[in-house]
Amino acid sequence: MIISADRLTKQFRTLRRKEGPLGAIATLFSRDYEIKDAVRDVSFKLDAGELVGYIGPNGAGKSTTIKMLTGILVPTSGTCTVDGIVPWADRQANGRQIGVVFGQRTQLYWDLPLIESFQLLRAIYNVPAATYERNLREFTELLGLDEFIRTPVRQLSLGQRMRGDFAAAMMHEPKVVFLDEPTIGLDVVAKENIRQFIARVNRDRGTTFILTTHDLADIEKLCARIILIDHGRKLYDGSVETIKGRYGRNRTLTADLNCENCDDVRITVPGANVVSREGPRIVIEFDRDAVRADELVVKLAQHYELRDVTIAEPPLEAIIRDIYQHGLGDGSVAARDGLLVTADVETVS
Amino acid sequence: MASLAPYWRTYAEFWRLNFLTLAEYRANFFVWLVFTLVLHGSAIATIWLTMNRFPIMNGWTWQQVVFLYALYWLASSLNGTLFFTVGDVPWHIREGRFDRFMVRPLDPLFQIISQPGQIWPDELIVATIFFAIVQGLVHLQWTIGVAGLLLGAMVGGAFIDFAIQLAVATLAFWVVRLDTLRWVVMSLETDFTRYPLSIYNRVVRFTLSFIFPFAFINYFPASTLLHKTAQGDYAVNPLLGWLTPLIGALWFTAAYLFWRRGLDHHQSTGS
């Protein structure tokens, strides 16, 4: 076990604003604080070498948790350890063993060529020369840094800068790496590069990663386990497969029909609903456990000529969105209101 | 056990990188240098004009008042060279960039003052040249004691300057905007260090000696060096001039402890 969080809680105190014409002045002298729980009683344990997705909607408390694990914030109550160190109690010892990538804030020096930032970090982390040389060579190769390593950081594209940031965060071979929105704003190719790099470092070096992201494709491609939080509380902690099995029982069937009055198409299978129709394309959603896919297709084929049929399981994103909106409840939440957006379905084969 | 090696290596890198940016920011360097010269030139001109009207100010000649200024400039430019970036702390905090300094294995304050940027010792060099000229005007008699006192005033004075700026910057952990307070403290420093402390009333004297001890940067050491023990109604013990390093160490320690409290109070804005 490398990380242990035990009932971590962080409260923020904000001044309650006063209304009325003199509100601003009244606020100035007010002692009326509002206490908000950013994180409430969050506990979990991570084993060395795990690659865990830490997800939740905006304001759920993801960043606040990460900031406590990295020693930036002192929790209001509860505690945590990172490889035996309490982060905020010994920030410098913790700093030696962790790496942090904030997708929105670079740690590279704007005015300097990329390589100079590495040199400075090498001094800050006291990285032995041999280790530095080896890592520089490996990261240069994996991330393709050589084409821009002598370019001032301010002239790099976002994708190049992120690659530089990843190398910078790994140069001292941290045991645990915290990634906060590492692929935000990147194009598809750059995202894929970054994901491959994370997977590779995790596999080859056994580095533990905690990843917060809004791009659930990152999670699907990288993480076996997710921790889901909302309103500061832990909602789910387990494998991606389990959450898909339990909360993603819905399937969508997309069919292109050969029909003249396609708007008249009706389907009368209990547990299956038409969720959208657009010209000859009809999208039907059904509960995997209630309706058999083959029966649905046969029934459809009895009445209409089928040009094309695809059946898709919901992407993780749809499942998670559904949990954000309706809580965990019982397994078939997604089936209830036909929430799946068809645009997502089409991208899945 | 934490080793000191990363500190001096980082510090050496910091200066190497500063000089590396010098070539790239040549224009900026010259603009900054000219700005500094104009700023200090006009301050000195003001002193000179004032002293034309009051040739002797509480027993101080115009040369001696200019010496006061030269001594202050020496200490403040040393502070500016070594610790300039401490003024960026509120800005780092507000923009959410301060977090980065808390997740690295070196003291965050050390990281702040060794942020590579456009920092060059140009002002310190100009201030040293200016001081070399002015010490001739007051006929300073050089002995080892005088040199020691001057060095103490310069280094101790830089630390007093640094400590006050650090304490003000540390408030940013609690208060979002500090620009006004910074401006007030800065004017207190630049305006009240120009003339002998003895011309001010007791409140100002007390404030500049024991709260914001700017008088220890230049006034007390200059009084000792120029043997100004009695100035009007104000008697100065010549030993006070020797206390600058001690005051610098005390105020810096207090400011640093305050800073450490600030770190634990850091609220870290944004996501």
Side-chain angles (χ1 to χ4, degrees):
Chain A
M1 185 186 67
I2 194 155
I3 292 182
S4 151
D6 183 25
R7 298 175 68 83
L8 269 182
T9 299
K10 181 71 187 177
Q11 296 178 328
F12 287 114
R13 231 168 47 137
T14 48
L15 210 52
R16 206 170 269 141
R17 304 231 166 257
K18 298 261 188 274
E19 304 289 324
L22 295 174
I25 293 165
T27 308
L28 202 59
F29 297 102
S30 166
R31 302 246 131 240
D32 184 14
Y33 288 102
E34 190 173 3
I35 297 205
K36 192 180 156 255
D37 287 350
V39 172
R40 181 93 213 162
D41 288 331
V42 168
S43 304
F44 55 83
K45 289 184 191 328
L46 258 62
D47 284 322
E50 279 198 87
L51 208 169
V52 176
Y54 195 68
I55 59 178
N58 285 329
K62 300 186 298 288
S63 288
T64 304
T65 313
I66 298 295
K67 283 170 183 172
M68 289 189 277
L69 292 170
T70 49
I72 295 167
L73 291 177
V74 181
T76 310
S77 67
T79 190
C80 68
T81 56
V82 177
D83 202 25
I85 293 170
V86 177
W88 57 90
D90 194 348
R91 294 195 180 95
Q92 295 182 26
N94 193 49
R96 268 187 284 278
Q97 59 176 6
I98 63 168
V100 186
V101 177
F102 298 116
Q104 323 231 42
R105 289 183 197 109
T106 184
Q107 69 163 324
L108 306 170
Y109 293 91
W110 214 236
D111 292 331
L112 299 168
L114 181 58
I115 184 79
E116 302 295 352
S117 287
F118 294 159
Q119 288 279 359
L120 192 70
L121 288 168
R122 175 195 167 184
I124 289 174
Y125 285 95
N126 207 19
V127 182
T131 311
Y132 174 76
E133 293 301 330
R134 189 183 66 232
N135 286 337
L136 186 61
R137 217 174 315 121
E138 188 179 333
F139 297 153
T140 302
E141 191 193 321
L142 284 177
L143 294 164
L145 304 178
D146 43 356
E147 40 180 314
F148 53 84
I149 201 159
R150 307 220 165 261
T151 312
V153 171
R154 62 170 190 277
Q155 294 172 12
L156 300 182
S157 72
L158 182 61
Q160 291 172 329
R161 205 208 76 202
M162 276 316 299
R163 285 187 267 164
D165 257 308
F166 265 87
M170 309 281 184
M171 216 47 103
H172 60 289
E173 308 194 330
K175 291 179 201 162
V176 184
V177 176
F178 297 91
L179 306 173
D180 197 354
E181 298 282 350
T183 59
I184 197 162
L186 298 183
D187 66 38
V188 190
V189 179
K191 275 186 183 180
E192 199 46 44
N193 269 336
I194 293 289
R195 286 174 192 151
Q196 280 173 9
F197 179 74
I198 297 169
R200 174 86 182 255
V201 173
N202 174 253
R203 193 187 63 216
D204 292 356
R205 303 188 172 203
T207 308
T208 308
F209 283 89
I210 296 189
L211 166 69
T212 80
T213 182
H214 284 292
D215 185 346
L216 290 157
D218 288 345
I219 304 283
E220 281 193 295
K221 298 214 163 123
L222 288 171
C223 305
R225 173 179 170 192
I226 56 174
I227 296 171
L228 179 67
I229 68 162
D230 195 10
H231 296 103
R233 289 171 189 273
K234 190 168 88 172
L235 283 187
Y236 175 83
D237 180 356
S239 76
V240 176
E241 286 314 309
T242 308
I243 207 168
K244 279 188 163 179
R246 270 168 65 193
Y247 304 105
R249 300 202 318 230
N250 273 23
R251 294 292 177 270
T252 41
L253 181 148
T254 307
D256 287 347
L257 308 177
N258 202 358
C259 50
E260 271 157 28
N261 292 320
C262 295
D263 287 350
D264 295 339
V265 172
R266 291 283 174 272
I267 184 100
T268 50
V269 178
N273 304 303
V274 175
V275 289
S276 93
R277 56 180 94 225
E278 199 177 313
R281 170 162 294 186
I282 182 168
V283 179
I284 298 165
E285 196 177 273
F286 63 97
D287 183 339
R288 175 187 72 181
D289 295 347
V291 179
R292 280 177 51 185
D294 58 346
E295 280 176 6
L296 193 62
V297 175
V298 167
K299 195 123 190 182
L300 211 55
Q302 281 170 358
H303 299 284
Y304 308 100
E305 194 180 321
L306 297 175
R307 283 185 188 150
D308 193 9
V309 176
T310 55
I311 296 176
E313 66 171 5
L316 185 59
E317 187 172 339
I319 299 170
I320 300 294
R321 182 174 48 232
D322 195 45
I323 295 175
Y324 291 170
Q325 286 171 342
H326 298 98
L328 282 176
D330 135 85
S332 59
V333 269
R336 218 169 38 219
D337 314 289
L339 271 163
L340 295 185
V341 173
T342 51
D344 292 327
V345 176
E346 284 165 7
T347 62
V348 181
S349 59
Chain B
M1 188 63 220
S3 137
L4 284 180
Y7 284 94
W8 63 257
R9 283 207 189 112
T10 303
Y11 207 62
E13 271 299 302
F14 157 69
W15 277 108
R16 185 180 72 80
L17 296 173
N18 281 342
F19 284 106
L20 201 76
T21 56
L22 179 60
E24 202 169 342
Y25 289 95
R26 237 179 350 199
N28 193 24
F29 171 79
F30 286 114
V31 170
W32 181 249
L33 189 59
V34 169
F35 171 75
T36 306
L37 291 177
V38 169
L39 194 74
H40 287 276
S42 65
I44 293 158
T46 312
I47 293 172
W48 189 77
L49 284 173
T50 312
M51 295 309 288
N52 256 344
R53 295 184 56 186
F54 311 94
I56 303 287
M57 189 181 268
N58 259 14
W60 292 65
T61 64
W62 73 266
Q63 293 95 333
Q64 290 171 332
V65 175
V66 173
F67 180 78
L68 209 53
Y69 190 85
L71 198 52
Y72 169 74
W73 194 8
L74 211 51
S76 84
S77 65
L78 181 63
N79 169 55
T81 307
L82 298 179
F83 311 124
F84 179 75
T85 44
V86 76
D88 294 341
V89 167
W91 175 62
H92 284 307
I93 292 174
R94 207 166 53 227
E95 306 275 314
R97 255 179 288 106
F98 191 79
D99 295 358
R100 178 57 65 186
F101 303 113
M102 297 181 81
V103 300
R104 287 177 179 163
L106 301 183
D107 186 294
L109 183 58
F110 172 80
Q111 292 183 63
I112 290 286
I113 61 164
S114 54
Q115 278 285 290
Q118 295 160 43
I119 299 168
W120 307 295
D122 51 332
E123 191 184 343
L124 181 60
I125 293 167
V126 177
T128 309
I129 295 168
F130 183 70
F131 182 83
I133 297 165
V134 173
Q135 63 83 30
L137 292 180
V138 295
H139 310 293
L140 199 65
Q141 302 296 311
W142 285 85
T143 62
I144 293 193
V146 166
L149 192 142
L150 272 174
L151 190 69
M154 184 177 168
V155 176
F159 270 88
I160 290 171
D161 214 1
F162 178 39
I164 298 296
Q165 285 175 17
L166 176 60
V168 172
T170 301
L171 288 171
F173 288 114
W174 288 270
V175 187
V176 184
R177 286 213 177 255
L178 281 169
D179 307 339
T180 319
L181 181 66
R182 282 176 72 192
W183 182 80
V184 167
V185 174
M186 232 154 95
S187 3
L188 194 69
E189 179 173 353
T190 51
D191 293 349
F192 285 90
T193 49
R194 277 188 197 170
Y195 301 103
L197 189 68
S198 55
I199 68 166
Y200 299 111
N201 67 30
R202 295 170 76 178
V203 178
V204 176
R205 284 181 203 165
F206 181 83
T207 307
L208 295 183
S209 306
F210 301 112
I211 297 170
F212 303 104
F214 299 131
F216 282 93
I217 300 178
N218 62 347
Y219 175 71
F220 291 126
S223 296
T224 306
L225 285 167
L226 305 174
H227 312 291
K228 301 230 152 283
T229 43
Q231 302 156 26
D233 62 337
Y234 192 52
V236 177
N237 189 324
L239 281 177
L240 284 175
W242 291 91
L243 292 183
T244 306
L246 180 70
I247 299 290
L250 283 176
W251 257 254
F252 173 70
T253 306
Y256 184 73
L257 292 174
F258 181 45
W259 160 264
R260 299 288 303 203
R261 287 203 56 181
L263 287 182
D264 283 341
H265 197 271
H266 180 44
Q267 297 290 295
S268 180
T269 50
S271 56

